[in-house]
Amino acid sequence: MAGVTNKARLVLKEKGKPFFTFGILQPLSEDGGVVFPLTPTIQMSHSANYGTYDVAGSIFQQNYYINTPNPPISITALFPSNTEAEAKYTAAALHFFKACMKSDFGIKAGSTAGTPPPILKFSCYGSVHASNVPCVLRNFTYTLPEDTDYVEVETGNGEMIAVPTLSLVSVELVPQLPPKAVKDKFNIRTYASGIALNDGNQGGFI
């Protein structure tokens, strides 16, 4: 697919784990997740937490640094379904987002019971924004509007379903970096220069 490296994508950190992309998810099998078909609106919020020294009768209180929280990532995207292939991809993407918010639970889970939802990797437009950032999906919202046409397609499981010709989707992500990676690989000087983000951003920094 031409230009796919310039598209925003949200994929499983480990392809095929904890679930394979088959059945309804078959259209996502090549990438191991979702490549947003149209350019989404992406909002990233970076902040730092500070406290203040409250001295009685003083003005211009001094601030002290507490920490820098994980920057949330909000994505609002449109998924077109004007063809059968697009409709199948939209259905797969919607189901993928839902699956990524559920733990491995129940008797059938066996030894993996209790495993939390999967870690994902988010990338968009190069390391200056986000490149292979490990994250978790905290919220997913989509709309089934009344004033649009719906396309019927057969899923990989043999069921007929319908999706809007244009679906509005919102997801909220938050980075989930391993503590050891942060401790061993982060350095403010290499991060500020961009060197820490080279070679696929192995630390997952954002």
Side-chain angles (χ1 to χ4, degrees), residues 88-105:
K88 287 184 176 182
Y89 196 90
T90 296
L94 297 178
H95 197 65
F96 177 81
F97 294 141
K98 291 188 288 184
C100 288
M101 299 183 69
K102 292 176 173 58
S103 65
D104 197 350
F105 181 80

Side-chain angles (χ1 to χ4, degrees), residues 20-141:
F20 293 98
T21 46
F22 65 92
I24 193 173
L25 297 179
Q26 179 61 38
L28 312 181
S29 60
E30 181 178 350
D31 297 299
V34 174
V35 176
F36 292 88
L38 301 179
T39 302
T41 297
I42 302 172
Q43 183 177 41
M44 302 182 187
S45 178
H46 295 262
S47 62
N49 290 330
Y50 284 84
T52 58
Y53 294 103
D54 295 324
V55 180
S58 68
I59 62 172
F60 299 109
Q61 291 76 24
Q62 296 300 304
N63 301 296
Y64 60 89
Y65 176 74
I66 299 175
N67 59 18
T68 299
N70 290 343
I73 304 169
S74 298
I75 305 170
T76 302
L78 292 170
F79 283 78
S81 299
N82 297 307
T83 66
E84 181 178 346
E86 288 181 344
K88 287 184 176 182
Y89 196 90
T90 296
L94 297 178
H95 197 65
F96 177 81
F97 294 141
K98 291 188 288 184
C100 288
M101 299 183 69
K102 292 176 173 58
S103 65
D104 197 350
F105 181 80
I107 295 175
K108 294 183 179 180
S111 61
T112 59
T115 304
I119 305 296
L120 308 171
K121 288 196 303 184
F122 176 67
S123 300
C124 69
Y125 320 131
S127 60
V128 71
H129 304 293
S131 177
N132 294 316
V133 177
C135 55
V136 291
L137 179 54
R138 290 205 301 193
N139 187 64
F140 163 52
T141 305

Side-chain angles (χ1 to χ4, degrees), residues 164-178:
T165 53
L166 194 62
S167 300
L168 178 63
V169 171
S170 297
V171 296
E172 182 183 349
L173 309 172
V174 65
Q176 181 81 335
L177 277 66

